Every structure is written in C-alpha cells, then in structure tokens.
Amino acid sequence: MVKIRGRTGRGKTDYSVLSAVAARKLASQEDHNKAENGKRKPQLPPAEHHPSKKPKGQDYHDDQKQINRTELLNQTIEHSNSAKERVVETFENVTDFSSFELEDKAIANEERELILRLQSGDKLVVSGEFSILVKSGKFSIMGAVLRTNPQIHMVSAPLCYSLPIIECISNYEVSGAEIAIQYCNSGIRFLQDTIPLFKHIWGGNPKVDLKGQPSFTTLHAAEDIPKHWKFKVQTLNLSKEWKQLISALTNLVGQETPPTIVVAGQQSAGKSTLCRHLYNSILTNAMPENIENSDGVAFLDLNPGQPQFSPPGQVSLFHLRSPMFGQPFRHTHISLTNDDRLIRSHYIGHNTPENDPDHYTTCAVNLFAQYQKLLFSAPSCPLIINTVDWGKARGMEILVDLLRKTLATDLVWLQSDMDLEEDFNLDQTPSLGVTLHRLPSHHTRNLSRTPTDLRAMQVLSYLHLSSEVDSDTDRNGYGLQWDATPLTCQRPWVVNYSEPNPGILGIMILGEVLPVELVATAINGTIVAIVVIEDDDALPTVDAEQKAVNDRKGKRRSPGLSILHDPATGLPYIPTPGGSPLDPSMSFCAGQAIIRGIDTANETLHLITPIKTSCLPANKNIVLVRGRVELPVIAFVEDGKNAEKPYLSLEKTTYAPMSVRTKKPETNGRLNE
C-alpha cells in the first residue's frame, strides 16, 4: 500500500490510501486527461458560474423559483450539442473504491452495524444489502442528497451492477458527519440457494452459510476484493455531462408548470440509470426536506422489457415520494410499500411494442391521463418518462407520437455509436415544443449478467416475493420479503373457473385465436396477467344477439361477449378478433401469476403470485391474459434437476459447424450450470 498526497493548487490529485496498482492507473489516467483537455472543445463554464451550482449553505429550494428556464438550459443545450460530435464514456475508466481505511473513520464496527464519521469528500463503497441512516451532515448516493433524518433508507448493491458511491458532502471540518450502515435481511440474498442466477452477486464467502454472514461488505483497494468473487467489481461514477444535466433538470422543478421529461435511446444506453438518478435528485434536492409533504415525482415507465418497478411485460405509472436505491429485481413490486404507490398498470404481453404499437401507444396515453388527474392533488409533481429501446423507423415514429401526446417539455437522448439520425432527424423536436438534450450513452462493461439474465432475475424475484407480509409494518421497502422456497413447493391460490361461483370470467390469449381444445396446453406452466375489468365494454363483442344475456349469479357479463368452454377441461376461453387486447381505459393489470397447474377434476387453477387477494377489487370480473412473456426455464428446476418436469427435456444440445445441429442427451440427465 502506498499513500498519495492530497490535492494541491497545482492540479495534483489526492487519492488517499490506494494500492500501488490503483495509484499507477490513476496517475496514468490523469496524464491522459491532461493531454485530452488540450484537444477537446470548450464545455460548460466553471462551476461557480453555472446556474445549477448553489452557494455553500443554501438549499436548492431557496432560489429555484427565480431561475429562468431559458437561461438555465442554454448552457446545457450547448454542452449537449458538443456531445453530438464526441461520444464519450459516461462512466470513468478507473474503478474508485472507498477513499479511506475503515479503522480510521469507524466509530463503531459491529457485525450488524457500522458507524462512520466522515469528512467532506470522503467516499464509501459497500456491496450487498443494507440500510443507511444519516445521523448528522449530508451524504450523496445515486443522485440523492440525504440529510440528517431518522428515516432509514434501503440500499441494494449486488455485484452484477455497478456499485453506488456514498460520498460525504458536509462542511463539518472539525466534527465530521456521521452515517450508520446497518444489517438488513429481506430474504432476497437466499434466492441463490434456489436460483443459480442469484449466486455470488452479494459477495460474502460462498463456503459459509449466509445466515452467519453480514449482509454487506465495505470495499477499499482493488487487491482487497476476495478472489472467490466471480465478478469484475465496478463503481457508479457519473460523468460531468450527466451530473450537469441532472442538476439543470432538477432546478426546473418548482416553476409554474412542472416539466415532463422523456428519456430515450438505444438498448443498454443507460436510460434506467439516468431516470433513477434524476428522480432521486428531484426528490431530495428540489423538494422540501419533509418528503411526506412534497408533491413527489410521477414516473411513467414505458419500457416493458426492463421496467423499474413491475415485472416485464407491463407499462405503469407510479407516484414516488421517497428516493430509490436498488435494482429492478429488488423493488419489482412497489405497490407493497407505503410512501410510493402504483397508480395504474397495463399488460402489454411482450418485451417490446413492435407486436402491437397502437395498443402500446393507447396504454401510454391512458397512463398520461392518470398523471393529469394526479396534478389536481399534486400540482407541482413533475413527470419522468422512461421509454422502450428504440429501433429504426417505426420506433422513432412512436417516440414522436409520444412526445406530442404526453406534452413533453424535455427530451434527453442518450447517444450511441448506432445513432438514428440517418433515419430520423432529432433536431425537429423544437417544432414539437420540446427542448432536446444530448448525452453520451453508458454501456455497462464486463458484468456477468446479460440483459436476458437480468430480465429472468426480475421475473423470478417477483414470483418469489412473499404475499403474507403486511405493508404497514415498515417503510421504504422494509415490508418486502422474499421466500426462497421453490415455486413448485409453494402454496398456490386455488381458483375455481366453473359455475356456480367462478373466480375468473375467462382466459384470453394475445395475438392469436386458438381452437378451444388447445387453450389448456397454451396456458399451463406459463405467466399470465391478472386483469381487472372496470367496465364490461372493455371486453370485445362477437355476437350482438347476446346483448340481453346477464349473469344469473350477480356477476355481470359483457353484452355480446362469447365465452367458449373446452369440453375436456371446462376452461372458459374468450376469443378476440385476431387476439386483440382489452381496452386500457376500462381495465387494468393487478399483477402477474404462474399457472402452476390445472385441476380438471375439480375445475380449478393453481396460481403462484405475490399479490394479495385483498388488492383485488370486489364485484369486478377478472380475466387471465396470456401474452408472450416467457417463464425462465430455471423456474422449472428450482426444486432439483433430476425430478421429472412437464414440457422440459433434460438434454444437452451440441452445435456442429456448417449449421448442422445434432442433439446428444447426457447420460446422467443433468443440466449445465
């Protein structure tokens, strides 16, 4: 270990205590930056002249109402245009860990709690699952500024994502600021015992039982990282361009009209990361310190492939009142928490809107209408819209349509090497009344989980949530608990689908019309959406002569609705023209479930779902909708690889050259890890 001296007036950098390897990397990076600075075009003016830079001791909300929107964004736009010519990495190339030795700053270092007294500029990197409590001073993490407050915040920092940096930003030169890192056990770490995708992502020692380990690990020098960790550890270092734009957009909140900010870009460009930092910044910088009395932030998630707070296949509107410090698979069911709530959600049934772009746009417009209703009770609530991964041509047409229909004020475009300007000129957005901001995209590097893996983890995390936890017992996600019991061993809902008292009206299949005899095969062992019908007109009509038909048991039937029954199983099937979806203005998605089995003898369905029956409105019809969101294969083998599974063949596929493929079953019937 070597010590590097402090930052001086000559531009030298103080990296505190670092390894020799890290010191050499940082020194070479600094020399490289000096060379690059002579080549680069001028960027934003110095921080002291930037409108978003606040004087010491002054809060954001003290002067936010006097900021002129045009003046505020002029410099940001100038900077964004320069990014058009120079796409740079959003994250620094050098990995920064904690800037101090633990024993130098620790007040208390126990198994379940670590209390630190830090000075301004001190940085702390922690992996695992933990909670933070600011005892004095101010700290920044993932775009949020946390002040002295008894409120506890949950943080999820798995190794398969870049780790957040906790930085002290207080000016207590003598006494320092205090923060507590506390043990947390929601049960999500124990999913690794059932699901291989969750193995090793929380750090720790794989040879020691999880119950005997702390839930978090502090990281210092690179060589201190245990060799058994099977990840290249990275930290979340936002570039100067990102920080400046987030600050500028944050300062727009509190003006006469709340902004509507649309974030768009290609796949893996960093849209979710930007949205998370932006709403955290608004909630803790632009809002009153008492978050409960603020208007919060509305978040319209239009990315069905990798949504922030719901399982894949849905688009949703949320009202956020507290900052979020986790990944999608950690808070995939936000409706279970107190401060934040799901306003409305619709089931798309696909990971992209390309199969039915018109229905996708209709759902988005309906959710935006719900946001407009929210403004009556929260008039200062801004709206952040996360969009889908746009492809060429048709995708850009959908984006422009959304900009018009959501009355967007700002569009943040995350550029990549495969920009779409050759197919669509983004500079035409001023004609829509939208301010365009260009940012370099962020591509996650060398992490051990692909987007497909992360989507599977999100689905399985959702399905393993416990539905027996009372959401009133805790705040900020503490009420969320995970059950690592294999899905095949969990107690299911038993739903009657036959008269005289059916629990569902029927089953729909998006995108196609099937013979009724194939419905049981099409839905068994698949994911379905639980859709609540608010008005019978949401259901398609196929026979006008049935308009006078009513349910004799008190439950209404849609006029003109035709329900077919499978003669072998008795399953009720609602065929729609071309497999068309339900009207989003008269229905909503309450959650998703697995159809684990069909008991034809008792005419019941066995469902696995984390939602509570109390969350479903009374006297409303329920329809199960099958889309194209696939259940990860690993879900079939959670209880053991050698057990017999329906629809699953335990084979190893060998790929021969010249596109000739042969299948060779393993002699022991085992699956690869």
Side-chain angles (χ1 to χ4, degrees):
M1 302 290 290
V2 296
K3 290 191 176 182
I4 313 291
R5 294 191 62 82
R7 177 176 292 276
T8 69
R10 299 179 182 178
K12 299 296 182 180
T13 304
D14 178 13
Y15 299 110
S16 185
V17 181
L18 294 173
S19 67
V21 175
R24 286 195 297 271
K25 287 184 178 180
L26 290 167
S28 63
Q29 180 68 19
E30 190 173 77
D31 294 339
H32 174 73
N33 290 341
K34 287 182 179 179
E36 288 295 317
N37 287 337
K39 303 177 183 179
R40 293 178 181 173
K41 295 183 178 181
Q43 300 298 308
L44 282 172
E48 59 268 20
H49 300 300
H50 194 266
S52 63
K53 180 71 174 180
K54 65 175 184 176
K56 290 184 178 181
Q58 179 179 350
D59 288 334
Y60 282 87
H61 60 270
D62 290 339
D63 59 352
Q64 62 183 4
K65 294 187 178 178
Q66 285 143 27
I67 297 175
N68 182 282
R69 176 186 175 85
T70 303
E71 293 178 359
L72 178 66
L73 292 176
N74 276 342
Q75 295 174 346
T76 303
I77 297 170
E78 178 183 352
H79 149 69
S80 299
N81 288 334
S82 69
K84 178 179 179 180
E85 302 176 3
R86 179 180 55 85
V87 177
V88 299
E89 287 290 343
T90 301
F91 289 70
E92 302 294 339
N93 293 326
V94 178
T95 299
D96 296 326
F97 294 116
S98 301
S99 60
F100 55 86
E101 290 294 338
L102 195 62
E103 57 270 18
D104 297 336
K105 303 288 185 176
I107 300 175
N109 188 359
E110 301 176 357
E111 182 178 352
R112 302 181 70 89
E113 184 177 43
L114 170 65
I115 302 177
L116 300 170
R117 180 177 289 125
L118 306 180
Q119 304 295 329
S120 179
D122 285 343
K123 296 180 180 180
L124 174 67
V125 176
V126 184
S127 70
E129 183 186 28
F130 55 95
S131 61
I132 55 179
L133 172 64
V134 178
K135 292 178 173 291
S136 65
K138 292 191 297 185
F139 294 84
S140 67
I141 174 174
M142 297 178 72
V145 174
L146 304 181
R147 299 168 175 83
T148 306
N149 196 297
Q151 185 175 9
I152 295 176
H153 300 275
M154 269 296 308
V155 181
S156 173
L159 299 176
C160 56
Y161 284 86
S162 297
L163 300 180
I165 297 176
I166 305 172
E167 181 177 1
C168 177
I169 56 175
S170 295
N171 295 320
Y172 300 163
E173 299 295 344
V174 179
S175 61
E178 290 188 13
I179 186 172
I181 312 297
Q182 300 173 339
Y183 175 89
C184 176
N185 183 19
S186 66
I188 193 171
R189 292 183 297 126
F190 294 91
L191 292 183
Q192 69 177 24
D193 297 334
T194 305
I195 307 169
L197 286 173
F198 284 89
K199 284 187 175 180
H200 311 300
I201 68 172
W202 302 107
N205 189 343
K207 297 181 180 180
V208 179
D209 186 15
L210 276 177
K211 295 181 180 179
Q213 299 188 55
S215 66
F216 61 88
T217 304
T218 57
L219 301 179
H220 300 278
E223 64 268 20
D224 295 336
I225 298 176
K227 294 182 179 180
H228 56 258
W229 286 13
K230 300 182 179 181
F231 292 85
K232 179 180 179 180
V233 181
Q234 296 184 148
T235 53
L236 195 58
N237 298 304
L238 290 188
S239 69
K240 182 184 295 184
E241 292 93 338
W242 276 45
K243 291 179 180 178
Q244 289 172 335
L245 182 57
I246 290 172
S247 178
L249 294 175
T250 297
N251 285 332
L252 294 180
V253 179
Q255 304 299 307
E256 183 176 352
T257 302
T260 296
I261 304 167
V262 178
V263 179
Q266 296 296 322
Q267 184 178 13
S268 301
K271 297 184 296 297
S272 297
T273 300
L274 178 60
C275 287
R276 188 178 303 117
H277 280 75
L278 183 55
Y279 58 65
N280 281 346
S281 176
I282 292 174
L283 285 169
T284 58
N285 288 326
M287 298 295 179
E289 291 190 17
N290 185 356
I291 295 178
E292 293 182 355
N293 294 331
S294 74
D295 286 342
V297 176
F299 181 61
L300 178 52
D301 198 342
L302 298 181
N303 187 353
Q306 290 182 314
Q308 288 281 298
F309 304 115
S310 60
Q314 294 180 210
V315 291
S316 312
L317 175 66
F318 301 91
H319 188 201
L320 307 179
R321 303 290 296 277
S322 56
M324 294 288 173
F325 307 116
Q327 296 69 39
F329 66 74
R330 177 56 181 83
H331 45 55
T332 191
H333 202 341
I334 197 173
S335 59
L336 290 179
T337 63
N338 281 338
D339 291 340
D340 314 288
R341 66 187 181 98
L342 168 66
I343 296 178
R344 193 175 181 87
S345 182
H346 296 302
Y347 186 64
I348 301 297
H350 299 84
N351 293 327
T352 69
E354 61 184 359
N355 298 84
D356 195 345
D358 293 334
H359 178 59
Y360 172 82
T361 304
T362 302
C363 291
V365 171
N366 175 259
L367 295 175
F368 178 71
Q370 298 297 317
Y371 164 70
Q372 291 179 309
K373 294 179 181 179
L374 175 65
L375 289 176
F376 287 104
S377 58
S380 299
C381 180
L383 175 64
I384 299 174
I385 303 177
N386 185 27
T387 59
V388 74
D389 304 327
W390 299 109
K392 296 184 178 181
R394 181 57 173 158
M396 297 305 297
E397 293 178 8
I398 297 175
L399 175 59
V400 174
D401 194 26
L402 288 175
L403 292 175
R404 291 193 182 98
K405 293 180 178 179
T406 59
L407 307 178
T409 60
D410 298 86
L411 169 63
V412 181
W413 179 261
L414 299 179
Q415 294 190 158
S416 66
D417 296 333
M418 299 176 61
D419 211 344
L420 299 182
E421 290 184 301
E422 59 186 25
D423 298 315
F424 179 83
N425 187 4
L426 285 172
D427 290 327
Q428 71 172 291
T429 52
S431 64
L432 303 174
V434 180
T435 302
L436 173 63
H437 314 275
R438 299 177 188 273
L439 278 183
S441 62
H442 156 53
H443 299 284
T444 303
R445 308 182 305 274
N446 300 321
L447 298 183
S448 300
R449 296 293 183 267
T450 66
T452 301
D453 292 335
L454 296 176
R455 187 179 298 114
M457 293 168 71
Q458 193 170 352
V459 171
L460 296 172
S461 171
Y462 173 80
L463 293 171
H464 276 276
L465 273 169
S466 174
S467 61
E468 299 179 357
V469 176
D470 184 2
S471 62
D472 294 331
T473 59
D474 244 323
R475 300 160 63 89
N476 298 312
Y478 277 75
L480 293 178
Q481 291 290 320
W482 278 262
D483 183 357
T485 304
L487 295 175
T488 52
C489 301
Q490 292 188 15
R491 185 173 62 180
W493 284 9
V494 178
V495 181
N496 187 11
Y497 61 76
S498 64
E499 298 289 356
N501 189 27
I504 62 171
L505 177 62
I507 298 165
M508 292 180 59
I509 299 177
L510 295 179
E512 58 185 317
V513 179
L514 294 179
V516 67
E517 295 82 6
L518 298 180
V519 171
T521 302
I523 66 170
N524 195 19
T526 66
I527 295 178
V528 294
I530 301 174
V531 178
V532 178
I533 308 301
E534 297 174 304
D535 192 310
D536 287 339
D537 290 337
L539 295 162
T541 58
V542 295
D543 189 351
E545 295 181 358
Q546 296 184 10
K547 288 184 178 181
V549 176
N550 293 314
D551 182 38
R552 49 188 165 84
K553 295 296 180 182
K555 285 196 174 183
R556 302 162 59 195
R557 292 288 188 267
S558 176
L561 176 65
S562 176
I563 300 179
L564 306 179
H565 291 269
D566 180 6
T569 63
L571 284 171
Y573 173 49
I574 304 176
T576 62
S580 58
L582 298 167
D583 187 340
S585 66
M586 293 176 281
S587 63
F588 66 89
C589 179
Q592 297 184 25
I594 295 178
I595 297 183
R596 201 181 73 178
I598 304 174
D599 184 350
T600 56
N602 297 310
E603 295 187 320
T604 58
L605 297 173
H606 290 193
L607 305 182
I608 299 293
T609 180
I611 68 175
K612 300 179 181 180
T613 55
S614 59
C615 296
L616 299 177
N619 301 321
K620 296 290 185 181
N621 284 318
I622 303 293
V623 174
L624 302 182
V625 180
R626 165 80 164 102
R628 292 295 180 269
V629 177
E630 298 296 333
L631 178 65
V633 175
I634 195 66
F636 289 91
V637 294
E638 288 184 357
D639 59 345
K641 298 176 181 178
N642 297 324
E644 183 179 354
K645 302 294 188 300
Y647 314 117
L648 188 64
S649 176
L650 303 184
E651 295 181 350
K652 179 179 179 181
T653 302
T654 303
Y655 296 96
M658 302 299 292
S659 300
V660 178
R661 299 180 180 180
T662 59
K663 290 186 177 181
K664 297 181 179 180
E666 288 185 321
T667 56
N668 58 1
R670 296 180 60 191
L671 286 175
N672 290 330
E673 288 287 350

